[in-house]
Amino acid sequence: MPRSDKRCLRYVCMLLLVCCSSTSAQRVLYLEFVVNGKNTTQVLAVVQKDNDWEVSTEELQALGIKLDFSHGERLLLSEFPGASVVYDETMQRMLLTVPGSALPLQSLTAMARSEPIANARRDAGAFLNYDLLVVDEEAAPYQASVWHELYWFDQYFYTVNRGLARDGNDIGESPSYLRFETYYQHDNQAGLWGVTVGDVINATPNWGSSVRMGGIRVARDYELDPNLITYPLPEFFGESALPGSVDLLINDQLRWRDEVNPGPFSINTMPILSGAGVAEVVTTNVQGQQARQKINFYIASEILAQGLVDYDVTIGVRREDFGFASDNYEDDPVYSGSIRYGLNSWLTPQFLVQGGQDLQLAGAGVSLLAGNWGVFEYSHTSSDYLQQTGWQESIAYSYSQQRLGMSARYLQRHGNFRDLGNLDSDVLRDSQWQLAFSFYQRQAGSFNVGYFRVNEQNVGTREFATLSWNRYFDSGLTLFANINRQLYGEKGSIFSLALSVPLGRTGQVSTGSQRDIDNSWGTQVQAMANAPYSGGMGWRMGVDDSTEKNAYAAMDWRA
């Protein structure tokens, strides 16, 4: 072959090699994507460019991958920060590993799954509860009474009447029939509110005063939805680089377990306790590697969940001599309105207004969740009654955890402070202290200490202290001891001790002794067995060593 022909053949071969190399570097492959060890089952078109791979950013985002950096319509995977790529030629897969922050947040729920609450159906009907008591003995005059609760209900409402009919030698001028309360109520389950007409009690924050009225009350009723939790629940966050499982431990006890995909996740929990606790999130990937994260949290029922509103509006006339007269009501109307709002997961403001019978009152308060350190509450209320002003301040703190609990509340009133609860009172409270402390340890038992101090005008100061202890044993035996100490006037203590022992499957025997403030002791012994719910006989009896030598015995039978 001539030399010129050989030279031409060489150029042709080189051109073919370049073309083949160029075609190989730009080839398009259709590969199944595996992201952080999880097969997405999605096939994407991938362009191989030399030692790099180019994909559509839109298709990557469709896999749930977040691209938090500048990019075009197509992206070289080598330009993905923190990502690594492995091409599995045998299985025709692309093994892509990206940082956890680039994967979507998974919301896992550790709450018990329940069916949606259906609208309650109330049929029409009525029923009567009653309690009959007759006493006829030489040491006491004859007396008989019947307490009753009459319920009448329909699809849209129910009506209740409670009262006491009495007869005997010692009722004197007291009425033979005493009505306690009568009211009509309608519940709106969809709106979670109810309206009550008749004998009502207004609701207020714990620094306000509730009173009995005859009138109408409109109020929020979250109990109409048993599944609704009205206070904020803790959320626990974690991250898994590979598919695996996640365990949630609360105070070293396993509460929940589920599978988890690669990426960050959050866990919503049920309110398994109140107060402070420690959660541990344990993530185990498919390779058996574990990651542990401990989180402190605090659950406070005093805080309203974000966005929830709790309210009460009551208008009527105040009731007097409850339990002594059936229909003793004031002539002039009064009103009371209160509202709480869940501003966020740690702050709940509260407001209260009351008025009528020459009273004008307004107050505001706040409940604050201080991280894992408990709940602080503060309120300020001002009043004007018969052109005499006064104001009240209260501050409170509470903290609880698995073994320890404490609470303190202080209330101070100034001037002629009045609210609906003390309009007619001649004794006005100046200040009040309440302190409580509790401690629990399985072997030592439970200890509770309390202190109460109240100062009232024209009466003086009264102080009490209490200390109690109880211990439950695995055998069912329970021990209880209590000391109450009066710290004013004629100081003295009351001491009591009790022992309870199980008797069979449904009964128990208990004995208790008490020393009163005069240092005299009294002891009683009791035994009882509950009637089985499936039907059968129950009984109870007791005896004491008092001067009267009281003794009793009773039996009941359940069909």
Side-chain angles (χ1 to χ4, degrees), residues 28 63 152 265 267 273 548:
V28 178
L63 297 180
W152 174 38
F265 58 84
I267 304 174
L273 51 82
E548 296 82 6

PDB file of all heavy atoms in Angstrom, residues 28 63 152 265 267 273 548:
ATOM      1  N   VAL A  28     -26.722   8.489  27.313  1.00  0.00           N
ATOM      2  CA  VAL A  28     -27.867   8.636  28.203  1.00  0.00           C
ATOM      3  C   VAL A  28     -28.232   7.267  28.775  1.00  0.00           C
ATOM      4  O   VAL A  28     -28.417   6.300  28.013  1.00  0.00           O
ATOM      5  CB  VAL A  28     -29.074   9.250  27.463  1.00  0.00           C
ATOM      6  CG1 VAL A  28     -30.268   9.349  28.400  1.00  0.00           C
ATOM      7  CG2 VAL A  28     -28.713  10.614  26.895  1.00  0.00           C
ATOM      8  N   LEU A  63     -38.157  13.542  43.776  1.00  0.00           N
ATOM      9  CA  LEU A  63     -37.793  12.475  44.708  1.00  0.00           C
ATOM     10  C   LEU A  63     -37.797  12.951  46.152  1.00  0.00           C
ATOM     11  O   LEU A  63     -37.548  12.150  47.057  1.00  0.00           O
ATOM     12  CB  LEU A  63     -36.402  11.918  44.363  1.00  0.00           C
ATOM     13  CG  LEU A  63     -36.238  11.239  43.002  1.00  0.00           C
ATOM     14  CD1 LEU A  63     -34.808  10.752  42.826  1.00  0.00           C
ATOM     15  CD2 LEU A  63     -37.213  10.086  42.841  1.00  0.00           C
ATOM     16  N   TRP A 152     -83.992  14.165  82.345  1.00  0.00           N
ATOM     17  CA  TRP A 152     -84.883  14.047  81.207  1.00  0.00           C
ATOM     18  C   TRP A 152     -84.111  14.550  79.987  1.00  0.00           C
ATOM     19  O   TRP A 152     -83.571  15.649  79.997  1.00  0.00           O
ATOM     20  CB  TRP A 152     -86.152  14.877  81.426  1.00  0.00           C
ATOM     21  CG  TRP A 152     -87.064  14.927  80.244  1.00  0.00           C
ATOM     22  CD1 TRP A 152     -87.346  13.917  79.380  1.00  0.00           C
ATOM     23  CD2 TRP A 152     -87.793  16.068  79.788  1.00  0.00           C
ATOM     24  NE1 TRP A 152     -88.214  14.338  78.408  1.00  0.00           N
ATOM     25  CE2 TRP A 152     -88.519  15.661  78.630  1.00  0.00           C
ATOM     26  CE3 TRP A 152     -87.931  17.382  80.237  1.00  0.00           C
ATOM     27  CZ2 TRP A 152     -89.335  16.514  77.927  1.00  0.00           C
ATOM     28  CZ3 TRP A 152     -88.763  18.235  79.533  1.00  0.00           C
ATOM     29  CH2 TRP A 152     -89.452  17.805  78.389  1.00  0.00           C
ATOM     30  N   PHE A 265     -36.531  13.629  60.980  1.00  0.00           N
ATOM     31  CA  PHE A 265     -37.879  13.233  61.362  1.00  0.00           C
ATOM     32  C   PHE A 265     -38.254  13.919  62.672  1.00  0.00           C
ATOM     33  O   PHE A 265     -37.393  14.339  63.446  1.00  0.00           O
ATOM     34  CB  PHE A 265     -37.999  11.713  61.502  1.00  0.00           C
ATOM     35  CG  PHE A 265     -37.066  11.100  62.503  1.00  0.00           C
ATOM     36  CD1 PHE A 265     -37.377  11.059  63.858  1.00  0.00           C
ATOM     37  CD2 PHE A 265     -35.847  10.562  62.099  1.00  0.00           C
ATOM     38  CE1 PHE A 265     -36.507  10.507  64.776  1.00  0.00           C
ATOM     39  CE2 PHE A 265     -34.973  10.007  63.010  1.00  0.00           C
ATOM     40  CZ  PHE A 265     -35.308   9.973  64.348  1.00  0.00           C
ATOM     41  N   ILE A 267     -41.213  13.440  66.017  1.00  0.00           N
ATOM     42  CA  ILE A 267     -42.124  12.503  66.665  1.00  0.00           C
ATOM     43  C   ILE A 267     -43.077  13.294  67.546  1.00  0.00           C
ATOM     44  O   ILE A 267     -42.655  14.051  68.415  1.00  0.00           O
ATOM     45  CB  ILE A 267     -41.358  11.477  67.519  1.00  0.00           C
ATOM     46  CG1 ILE A 267     -40.317  10.735  66.676  1.00  0.00           C
ATOM     47  CG2 ILE A 267     -42.320  10.472  68.145  1.00  0.00           C
ATOM     48  CD1 ILE A 267     -39.433   9.802  67.483  1.00  0.00           C
ATOM     49  N   LEU A 273     -47.458  11.555  80.672  1.00  0.00           N
ATOM     50  CA  LEU A 273     -47.224  12.040  82.028  1.00  0.00           C
ATOM     51  C   LEU A 273     -47.351  13.551  81.997  1.00  0.00           C
ATOM     52  O   LEU A 273     -47.466  14.166  80.939  1.00  0.00           O
ATOM     53  CB  LEU A 273     -45.841  11.615  82.545  1.00  0.00           C
ATOM     54  CG  LEU A 273     -44.606  11.905  81.670  1.00  0.00           C
ATOM     55  CD1 LEU A 273     -44.130  13.338  81.844  1.00  0.00           C
ATOM     56  CD2 LEU A 273     -43.484  10.951  82.029  1.00  0.00           C
ATOM     57  N   GLU A 548     -69.751   5.287 121.881  1.00  0.00           N
ATOM     58  CA  GLU A 548     -71.001   4.710 121.396  1.00  0.00           C
ATOM     59  C   GLU A 548     -70.833   3.282 120.911  1.00  0.00           C
ATOM     60  O   GLU A 548     -71.825   2.594 120.667  1.00  0.00           O
ATOM     61  CB  GLU A 548     -71.558   5.563 120.251  1.00  0.00           C
ATOM     62  CG  GLU A 548     -71.954   6.979 120.654  1.00  0.00           C
ATOM     63  CD  GLU A 548     -70.761   7.916 120.686  1.00  0.00           C
ATOM     64  OE1 GLU A 548     -69.653   7.477 120.290  1.00  0.00           O
ATOM     65  OE2 GLU A 548     -70.909   9.073 121.125  1.00  0.00           O
TER      66      GLU A 548
END
